[in-house]
Amino acid sequence: MKNNFKAGIVQFDVKSGQVETNLNTALGHLEKLAAKNVSLAVLPEMFSCSFDNENLSKHSKLSDKVVESLSFFARKNQMAIAGTLPEKEKGQIFNTMVFIDVDGKVKARYRKIHLFRLTGEHLYYTAGNKIVTIDSSFGRLGLMICYDLRFPELARSLYLKDAQMIIVSAQWPEPRKEHWKTLIKARSIENQLFMVCSNRTGTEGDLIFPGMSMIVDPMGNVLTEAANNEKIAFADIDPGLVKKARTLIPCSTDRRQEIYG
């Protein structure tokens, strides 16, 4: 990462199947972050339509237009934006995180590797098979989606690819909210990098979502945490903290790669 900047998160009650409504809600909150001079913003998982799984083919046809709207906003406001939405290719549907840089160009797409079997994601989506880092305007970033947090191998792979920040979009439910907080801090501490993590709020069916979007620094300190009723939060990012943390506790030097890879 380069100079200091502000990173922000957006959280809201994503309305199932209501693409236009959700896009307008997201843009409204992004406007608020832009007014605070935020340069990087993260939206929740499946922010365009939620897990309206029976209608994913229809929703995926609108994803390009959603991305176009966000790209226009990003270019106009010099704000990078990330979030996930359905992507269809060769008859397969992916839960895809799109990263749009400050110039409005899509710089990366990450297809969710770990599908959440307990809610049947594997029945509707195809799992991705590529780990994604991106050389952005803010340095090298890694991309993850929700359930990915439970797999330290993925975060470590991003660290080994020199990521200095990991971006996470999620729909993480209320009953496991302490797991959410603990895993974000753990991924930060063990890899000595920033975590910028957006989670949705509201309800869908029997599920309640607590929000609790967080930004955590490379030593595991919470820089900002949104409550359930908050829509945006942001924090100053000092890129120098990555080098400071990795110098203070030189895990990379002491790592026994010859033993476990």
Side-chain angles (χ1 to χ4, degrees), residues 156 159-160 250-261:
R156 178 47 52 100
Y159 162 83
L160 292 174
C251 296
S252 60
T253 301
D254 298 326
R255 187 173 179 271
R256 298 293 303 278
Q257 185 171 347
E258 75 279 9
I259 296 176
Y260 46 72

Side-chain angles (χ1 to χ4, degrees), residues 134-153:
I134 171 174
D135 290 316
S136 73
S137 297
F138 311 98
R140 178 159 290 192
L141 313 179
L143 307 181
M144 291 172 52
I145 302 172
C146 200
Y147 189 38
D148 286 336
L149 273 172
R150 291 189 180 273
F151 298 86
E153 305 92 333

Side-chain angles (χ1 to χ4, degrees), residues 30-223:
L30 290 171
E31 288 277 7
K32 296 172 187 175
L33 288 177
K36 301 294 184 179
N37 297 314
V38 168
S39 300
L40 168 65
V42 183
L43 298 168
E45 183 180 19
M46 296 293 284
F47 71 88
S48 68
C49 61
S50 194
F51 287 92
D52 185 20
N53 293 331
E54 300 297 336
N55 298 299
L56 288 173
S57 183
K58 178 181 71 173
H59 299 321
S60 66
K61 293 177 181 177
L62 299 174
S63 291
D64 283 346
K65 290 186 177 181
V66 172
V67 172
E68 285 177 10
S69 294
L70 293 178
S71 293
F72 179 81
F73 183 94
R75 184 170 60 252
K76 178 182 177 183
N77 293 280
Q78 291 289 287
M79 177 192 290
I81 303 170
T84 96
L85 67 178
E87 177 191 33
K88 188 173 184 177
E89 182 178 83
K90 297 180 179 178
Q92 297 178 315
I93 300 288
F94 300 90
N95 181 347
T96 299
M97 176 178 281
V98 175
F99 181 91
I100 304 166
D101 213 333
V102 295
D103 59 2
K105 295 180 180 179
V106 175
K107 295 292 177 66
R109 294 178 185 268
Y110 163 66
R111 293 170 171 175
K112 190 176 184 179
I113 290 175
H114 302 102
L115 300 179
F116 194 54
R117 189 172 297 271
L118 290 180
T119 55
E121 281 186 33
H122 63 296
L123 301 176
Y124 297 94
Y125 302 84
T126 299
N129 56 17
K130 291 183 180 180
I131 295 169
V132 176
T133 57
I134 171 174
D135 290 316
S136 73
S137 297
F138 311 98
R140 178 159 290 192
L141 313 179
L143 307 181
M144 291 172 52
I145 302 172
C146 200
Y147 189 38
D148 286 336
L149 273 172
R150 291 189 180 273
F151 298 86
E153 305 92 333
L154 178 54
R156 178 47 52 100
S157 295
L158 294 169
Y159 162 83
L160 292 174
K161 292 177 179 291
D162 201 32
Q164 297 179 308
M165 172 183 285
I166 294 176
I167 291 170
V168 182
S169 291
Q171 289 208 25
W172 200 282
E174 172 79 21
R176 294 181 287 280
K177 64 183 180 182
E178 291 304 317
H179 293 191
W180 165 255
K181 293 175 66 174
T182 301
L183 289 169
I184 291 172
K185 294 182 74 172
R187 298 295 86 86
S188 168
I189 293 167
E190 67 196 6
N191 295 297
Q192 299 172 307
L193 42 66
F194 288 95
M195 300 288 292
V196 181
C197 309
S198 169
N199 190 38
R200 71 165 286 185
T201 62
T203 61
E204 189 163 328
D206 296 330
L207 293 175
I208 300 171
F209 298 93
M212 296 171 59
S213 299
M214 300 171 66
I215 300 176
V216 179
D217 79 7
M219 293 296 285
N221 300 307
V222 177
L223 300 180

